Amino acid sequence: MALGTESIWLRRYATGSTPRLRLLCLPHAGGSAGFFHTWGHAFGEDVEVLAVRYPGRQERIAEDPWTALEDLADAIAAELTPYLDTPLAVFGHSMGASLGYEIALRLAGRYHAAPALLMVSGRKPPHLLGPRPTDFADDEELLAEVRKLGGTDAALLADEDLRELVLPALRADFRAVTRYTARPGVPLPCPVVGYVGDADPDITPDDVAGWARTAPLGFELQVLPGGHFYLVDQHTALTSDIRSRLARAASRPAFPGTGGRLLQPPL
């Protein structure tokens, strides 16, 4: 795919000048690229934002949603290849954090293009994921989980017509999350930053601190006020923090790929 060609996978917020860095944004389970609309030009004219469009919602509503994070990571990493001429940072929230980790491994191992920075939000690292039921018993149980986590999705689900539109993607995404079971935390050839809300009902700061095991090149933890969707109320604080980190990431020398080999987990 040529760089100027529209990608069904990526909503691109083009800058007025050649970007120094690109930021890939990965939504949560049930989320869409629209969740990051206000991020599109939040980081200056030298940062180009790419928000991922998952199948089964918004522009891709006619497609069947996917149910395996590994398959999504394969497809998105391949779709990013035309954009790897510029340093790439990755931000993923909740399900998007696990997906960002898998994409980072693929970019380094398959395409010799390690991200400049991986930012993970509201999610345990792969080696700390505990067993979960394979599926929710019914839609009401699924909706109860979404309401517990809060955020804009919970408000949308109060509308019965909208609920029928978003439920297939929600079911598929939560199935993908429950099937993504614990695995060794393979270290990444890039720094990692972990974000979490201090009142998240499911994820604690200690949980997110566990990402340090995957980050031999550096890990930082940032705790912000709020629940699982602290990103909404803390939009200004979060994007300001990310902006400063992206500026530093863009000025660092590029991290090399791994020559087609993934790094081994620590003993």
Side-chain angles (χ1 to χ4, degrees):
M1 181 189 69
L3 188 55
T5 304
E6 176 73 7
S7 167
I8 193 62
W9 282 96
L10 302 170
R11 182 179 294 177
R12 184 183 178 202
Y13 295 88
T15 60
S17 57
T18 302
R20 285 200 305 152
L21 182 140
R22 292 188 171 99
L23 173 64
L24 181 73
C25 297
L26 297 152
H28 53 280
S32 66
F35 184 78
F36 292 105
H37 178 70
T38 57
W39 292 35
H41 299 287
F43 305 106
E45 279 299 301
D46 59 349
V47 176
E48 182 175 274
V49 173
L50 304 170
V52 172
R53 296 163 165 158
Y54 299 144
R57 62 216 81 188
Q58 293 192 324
E59 300 94 333
R60 307 183 69 179
I61 190 68
E63 300 178 44
D64 290 333
W66 294 17
T67 58
L69 290 189
E70 295 86 351
D71 292 345
L72 283 168
D74 288 341
I76 295 166
E79 197 74 8
L80 286 169
T81 55
Y83 298 91
L84 300 179
D85 60 325
T86 296
L88 178 76
V90 179
F91 179 96
H93 178 60
S94 199
M95 179 186 84
S98 292
L99 185 55
Y101 170 74
E102 293 293 333
I103 290 170
L105 290 178
R106 285 156 175 75
L107 290 177
R110 298 178 184 176
Y111 303 104
H112 316 303
L117 179 67
L118 173 64
M119 293 170 281
V120 291
S121 169
R123 180 74 165 151
K124 293 180 181 180
H127 58 284
L128 293 183
L129 294 174
R132 299 185 59 162
T134 55
D135 282 307
F136 290 94
D138 52 34
D139 286 345
E140 283 307 312
E141 189 175 314
L142 172 60
L143 294 173
E145 176 69 11
V146 175
R147 293 187 188 104
K148 181 185 76 170
L149 295 175
T152 54
D153 294 332
L156 288 174
L157 292 171
D159 185 309
E160 290 188 11
D161 293 331
L162 288 175
R163 184 188 308 164
E164 291 308 308
L165 282 176
V166 301
L167 264 174
L170 264 177
R171 292 190 201 103
D173 287 355
F174 274 87
R175 187 169 296 123
V177 168
T178 56
R179 291 177 176 176
Y180 184 78
T181 55
R183 60 202 64 203
V186 180
L188 291 161
C190 66
V192 178
V193 179
Y195 293 94
V196 65
D198 63 2
D200 191 310
D202 283 347
I203 308 297
T204 69
D206 283 346
D207 291 333
V208 178
W211 283 95
R213 177 175 170 177
T214 70
L217 295 181
F219 174 80
E220 292 185 59
L221 176 66
Q222 186 74 2
V223 182
L224 293 170
H228 192 66
F229 284 96
Y230 72 91
L231 304 81
V232 178
D233 292 338
Q234 298 298 320
H235 174 270
T236 300
L238 177 60
T239 54
S240 177
D241 185 82
I242 292 173
R243 187 185 303 115
S244 66
R245 296 181 189 279
L246 295 180
R248 296 197 297 272
S251 65
R252 284 195 295 263
F255 288 95
T258 59
R261 296 173 294 103
L262 296 182
L263 299 178
Q264 295 302 308
L267 299 176

